[in-house]
Amino acid sequence: MSAPAFTRSATRAALRAAAQASKPQLRSLSLLAARNVVRAAAPAAPRFAAPASVRGYKTLDFAGTKEKVYSRDEYPLEQLHEYFKNDTFALLGYGSQGHGQGLNLRDNGLNVIVGVRKDGESWRQAIEDGWVPGKNLFSVEEAATKGTILMNLLSDAAQSTTWPELSKFVVKGKTLYFSHGFSCVFHKETGVIPPKDVDVILAAPKGSGRTVRTLFKEGRGINSSVAVFQDVTGEALNRAVNIAMAVGSGYVYETTFEKEVYSDLYGERGVLMGGIQGMFKAQYEVLRKNGHSPSEAFNETCEEALMSLFPLIGEHGMDYMYKACSTTARRGALDWAPEFEKANLPVFERLYESVRNGTETRRALEFGNRKDYREQYDKETDAIADQEMWRVGHVVRALRPDRAGKAL
C-alpha cells in the first residue's frame, strides 16, 4: 500500500500540530525572548538613536574577494525599536515568507499589520496565527493605506496581477519592500514599475519562510541578502539592512535585485530543489533496476546523504566530509566528481540562460496565473510523493531512532 500523498493544506496542518507539540521544549520563542533572558542577568543596554549611515558591517575575504557582511550583533532590538518607532510594516500576502517574517516582526515588538484577501485561505491562516481582524489584519488595500513600509510578499504571479491596483498606494514617503527581485527585474513581463519618488529595497532570506521562523525561535537567525533598486532618500540600504535584522536575519550580505533573482531562480531549479530531486531519482532507479531492494536503494541514495553526509558538509565543508569517510569512498568520490561536473555543466549553463532571458519568468507567470494553479501544483507534488523512492522514504524516516514508537 502506498503512503498517503501530502497536499499543501495537510502539510500546513501537520506543521502547525508539530509546532504546538514542540512549544514546551523551546528554549526561547523569539529573539526578543532570548534577549530578555540576557537582560535579566546583565545591565540594561543603552538605547540607540537611528543611525545616519549604514553601520555594523565587517569586510570579509571570500576566497580572495572582499565583501561586506552585516551582523545581527550590531543591531540590538533597542536600536530597531528606535529606528522603526514611526513606521508601520504592512505585510501584503501571507504565504511562506509572509508567515515567517510577519510573526518575527510581531515577536520583536514592532508595529506590523497583515493585508490579505478577506475570508480567503491566507485570511484564515493569519487568524490561526493570532492576527486579529480590524486590529492588525486587514484587506490588502486597507493595510497598504495604513502602512509606511509596504512589504510586497504576494506570490510572483499575484504581484503582477495586483500591481495596477496596489501601485495606487505606493506614494511618496513610503518604502516599497520585496523579498525577491523578480517583479522589478522582469518588469516587462510583470508590469511592476515602481514610481520614481519612493525607496525600493529587498531583503531576501536564504530559505523558506518556515525556516526563517524556526531559526528565529531557536535564537539563531537566517542568512539573507539585501539590495537597493531605487534610493530616493539616501537611506535605502540602511533601511534594508535594519529590516533584514528585524525579520530574523543572523547576518546579511549585499547584492543587486538582478543578481538576487538570477541566483535564486537558478538555485531553486538546480541543486536546491530540481537538481537534487533529479539526481536522487536517477541513482535510485539504477539501483532498483540492478536488483537492490527499495530500502537499500533509498538508504544508499537519500537517507545516508540527508542524515549523515550532508550535515557534515553544512557544518564543516566538503573536504571534511570526504575525510570523515573511508579511503575507498574517498577515492571513488574524488575520481567521479569531475565526471558529474562535466556532465552537469552544460545543463547548468542552459538553465542560467533560461533564467536570464526570461523564459523561467514567463513560465512561472503563465502557470501561476491559471485559475487552478494550486490544484495543479498539488497534483504534481503529490505525484512526487507517490514515487516509489519517496513512499519508501516515508517508511524509512519512521524507523529513525528519534521517531521510535511513532506511527508510520
Side-chain angles (χ1 to χ4, degrees):
M1 180 182 295
S2 65
F6 295 97
T7 63
R8 184 170 178 264
S9 298
T11 300
R12 273 186 159 178
L15 286 168
R16 289 195 298 273
Q20 290 295 323
S22 63
K23 276 185 178 179
Q25 299 170 3
L26 290 174
R27 286 176 294 174
S28 66
L29 291 180
S30 66
L31 297 181
L32 176 60
R35 286 169 181 154
N36 284 340
V37 172
V38 174
R39 290 195 198 101
R47 294 187 65 82
F48 291 84
S53 60
V54 182
R55 63 186 296 278
Y57 70 83
K58 306 170 185 176
T59 301
L60 300 181
D61 187 325
F62 290 88
T65 299
K66 306 288 186 182
E67 295 187 43
K68 290 179 181 179
V69 173
Y70 302 87
S71 171
R72 187 181 69 194
D73 296 341
E74 298 294 330
Y75 292 81
L77 200 54
E78 292 86 353
Q79 176 182 311
L80 297 178
H81 284 171
E82 179 66 21
Y83 187 83
F84 293 116
K85 64 182 180 182
N86 296 320
D87 283 304
T88 297
F89 292 86
L91 201 76
L92 310 178
Y94 202 69
S96 175
Q97 286 296 333
H99 164 89
Q101 294 188 37
L103 292 177
N104 292 355
L105 285 168
R106 190 176 74 183
D107 283 0
N108 268 338
L110 296 167
N111 186 21
V112 55
I113 60 178
V114 173
V116 293
R117 181 170 57 86
K118 188 174 181 180
D119 297 326
E121 171 62 21
S122 293
W123 180 276
R124 184 193 64 76
Q125 175 65 37
I127 290 175
E128 287 189 15
D129 287 339
W131 302 95
V132 180
K135 178 182 177 183
N136 52 23
L137 177 59
F138 304 95
S139 68
V140 171
E141 294 78 12
E142 192 170 1
T145 300
K146 294 176 179 292
T148 58
I149 300 173
L150 306 185
M151 304 178 72
N152 195 340
L153 298 179
L154 295 162
S155 70
D156 293 327
Q159 286 184 20
S160 177
T161 56
T162 60
W163 181 249
E165 182 63 26
L166 183 60
S167 62
K168 300 174 184 177
F169 304 97
V170 185
V171 296
K172 186 175 182 179
K174 297 198 176 190
T175 297
L176 181 59
Y177 167 98
F178 296 91
S179 280
H180 195 17
F182 188 98
S183 291
C184 292
V185 172
F186 293 109
H187 59 87
K188 291 181 180 179
E189 288 81 6
T190 64
V192 176
I193 303 176
K196 297 295 184 182
D197 57 354
V198 298
D199 286 351
V200 182
I201 60 176
L202 72 73
K206 300 299 117 179
S208 73
R210 297 290 172 178
T211 307
V212 172
R213 181 61 176 161
T214 298
L215 292 179
F216 175 86
K217 292 197 293 183
E218 291 174 355
R220 292 192 286 164
I222 196 165
N223 59 310
S224 303
S225 62
V226 293
V228 174
F229 188 77
Q230 197 166 271
D231 186 2
V232 174
T233 64
E235 182 68 11
L237 178 58
N238 192 32
R239 177 152 287 212
V241 174
N242 277 274
I243 294 176
M245 299 305 175
V247 301
S249 301
Y251 74 86
V252 172
Y253 63 91
E254 293 182 28
T255 186
T256 67
F257 267 61
E258 186 175 74
K259 289 178 180 176
E260 188 282 330
V261 70
Y262 285 2
S263 60
D264 188 76
L265 295 179
Y266 174 74
E268 291 165 347
R269 285 149 180 77
V271 297
L272 300 180
M273 296 172 66
I276 200 66
Q277 161 66 10
M279 265 193 93
F280 276 168
K281 191 166 187 297
Q283 178 166 310
Y284 180 90
E285 292 298 334
V286 169
L287 286 169
R288 291 290 287 125
K289 286 177 182 177
N290 282 277
H292 296 268
S293 70
S295 63
E296 182 172 61
F298 186 86
N299 274 287
E300 294 293 349
T301 299
C302 303
E303 188 74 353
E304 184 173 355
L306 298 172
M307 300 304 293
S308 176
L309 302 184
F310 286 5
L312 292 179
I313 300 171
E315 189 68 23
H316 302 290
M318 185 68 74
D319 61 315
Y320 182 95
M321 186 272 282
Y322 274 37
K323 292 174 182 177
C325 295
S326 71
T327 56
T328 301
R330 201 180 314 166
R331 181 68 270 152
L334 289 167
D335 290 343
W336 277 91
E339 292 290 330
F340 282 104
E341 180 181 354
K342 182 180 178 181
N344 281 291
L345 190 58
V347 178
F348 280 105
E349 289 175 337
R350 184 157 51 90
L351 169 58
Y352 193 87
E353 180 56 30
S354 185
V355 169
R356 179 164 49 196
N357 66 27
T359 297
E360 297 303 311
T361 294
R362 290 186 288 274
R363 164 68 170 158
L365 289 174
E366 185 278 325
F367 194 92
N369 282 320
R370 295 178 188 177
K371 291 183 178 180
D372 64 344
Y373 83 96
R374 291 186 187 276
E375 292 79 6
Q376 287 298 315
Y377 273 131
D378 282 343
K379 182 179 179 180
E380 291 185 74
T381 52
D382 288 350
I384 292 176
D386 199 44
Q387 290 172 0
E388 182 189 89
M389 177 173 67
W390 293 117
R391 286 189 283 118
V392 171
H394 183 68
V395 179
V396 172
R397 286 191 296 274
L399 295 174
R400 293 173 185 167
D402 62 341
R403 300 190 182 189
K406 296 182 180 179
L408 292 178

